[in-house]
Amino acid sequence: MAEARLITVDDPDDPRLHDYTDLTDVELRRRREPAEGLFIAEGEKVIRRAVDAGYIMRSMLLSAKWVDVMRDVIDRLGVPVYVVAPELAEKVTGYHVHRGALASMQRKPLPAAEDVLAGARRVAVMESVNDHTNIGAIFRSAAALGMDAVLLSPDCADPLYRRSVKVSMGAVFSVPYARLDTWPRGLDAVRDAGFALLALTPDEKARPLDEVAPHTMERVALMLGAEGDGLSRRALAAADTWVRIPMSHGVDSLNVGAAAAVAFYAVATGRG
Amino acid sequence: MAEARLITVDDPDDPRLHDYTDLTDVELRRRREPAEGLFIAEGEKVIRRAVDAGYIMRSMLLSAKWVDVMRDVIDRLGVPVYVVAPELAEKVTGYHVHRGALASMQRKPLPAAEDVLAGARRVAVMESVNDHTNIGAIFRSAAALGMDAVLLSPDCADPLYRRSVKVSMGAVFSVPYARLDTWPRGLDAVRDAGFALLALTPDEKARPLDEVAPHTMERVALMLGAEGDGLSRRALAAADTWVRIPMSHGVDSLNVGAAAAVAFYAVATGRG
């Protein structure tokens, strides 16, 4: 049965490849993917993590040598697997797919913020982080360093965009996240759920993270802004406490990925 | 006098532009720059930081609109300033110089490891980090988070390569660094100088960083390996203590930049 699902395709305009067209056109894909209810997982490891996390696979696009590697997944899921030459994959997607395996996955409805907050003690709240690489890197660190959930302001980039997924190494599947409908007013619900709202900022008036000792607090929501601008005034005004990473050598700032990692460690790891 | 140093060039083969040719040919530049005793600083901020750090400027390559911005530097240093059209800059360098300003700077002899260690309490030791972006990111975090110096294994990439300098935001100028001649034997000198050698590794046998509390130690040398492979067996064997960042969610690892930032914070920042 599974064998019958292997479909060799040699026409780049075959409509069955629609999920995989124009992958390098970020603007187009950013609109299309949520509208069509899909996202793209790339490479064996990330595809397996998406499946393990309970996402439903629509199809796969593989070059021939990846069929054996993915054999167990193919047999188990029984979805259409389009087997194509590397040149055809490039023609369809717009780039050289050097990881050799793409999967189109079905999105799930995002949970409500309250549901994500219910069981959590450590939450990262991102404002206006609209770079896909940064979003992915932050999710990877959040997962590794013990953050329980992520909340996004309405204008944050999509964690399920291909590049975010890849940079996160699939952490976007394992850390629950939700999008706040209003900003910064949506933060009220976070505070109502019992979280202290800590805003990470290089501002001198902020208290050093180690002095605030957030790892001793019961429930912490750590607010982070985008590379460059940081948190907006409105977001800073909505916070309970401003915290900063102690800096030396007259350096203005860490990059957002490094700052997030340090802050997650400080928030999540109790130090003796 | 300074005005006389503004030299308009419109021949891409003008030999005076030699320092700036083929900047996108990484292999070539990696050999040429140390051999010719130069490095390239790119963009106003980084150029100013190189000058402030005491590096001698050989020349600048500017598009016309950057002359006014760099006027004070031009007047003060009196080195040749080649003013070129953006198209010519692209032809010479091989890329579109969108920061509009390049400077060729004279390298200084690297200090010996002992000199770098003399006044330091917190040192990062990198093994085989040969990605220019990672080297730059690690220097940026090292500077921001209070590391006093960096030591490099013989096969680490050049911190003064253009991309490293740029990603570090000039931190490669402010954090003293030296290259160990032998590896891992060169670590003996670090231990002899009174440093505890902590090796950062995801190995389960390593002790959690927060438990080791390195910020309470007098002198710490934190050893870091490259993305992917991490520290070699030989390097791990040469360490005094293995430390790891506590991880959750079954994530294998942080990226090397995030891991370095967290470790620097743990090593350098005393927590109450």
Side-chain angles (χ1 to χ4, degrees), chain A residues 49 140-141 143-147 174 209-210 215 245-249 251-255 258 261-262 265-266 269-271, chain B residues 49 140-141 143-147 209-210 215 245-249 251-255 258 261-262 265-266 269-271:
Chain A
R49 288 184 179 169
R140 184 176 171 191
S141 291
L145 295 168
M147 302 299 282
S174 59
L209 254 182
D210 49 317
H215 64 289
I245 298 169
M247 302 269 184
S248 318
H249 284 277
V251 176
D252 350 46
S253 72
L254 292 164
N255 78 48
V262 166
Y265 175 78
T269 305
R271 250 223 231 142
Chain B
R49 288 183 180 170
R140 184 175 172 192
S141 291
L145 295 168
M147 301 300 282
L209 255 182
D210 49 318
H215 64 290
I245 297 169
M247 302 270 184
S248 318
H249 285 277
V251 176
D252 347 48
S253 71
L254 291 165
N255 79 47
V262 167
Y265 176 78
T269 305
R271 246 221 234 139

Side-chain angles (χ1 to χ4, degrees), chain A residues 169-189:
Chain A
M169 310 270 286
V172 291
F173 310 139
S174 59
V175 181
Y177 70 92
R179 214 174 267 275
L180 295 172
D181 297 327
T182 57
W183 184 264
R185 202 151 46 79
L187 291 170
D188 292 346

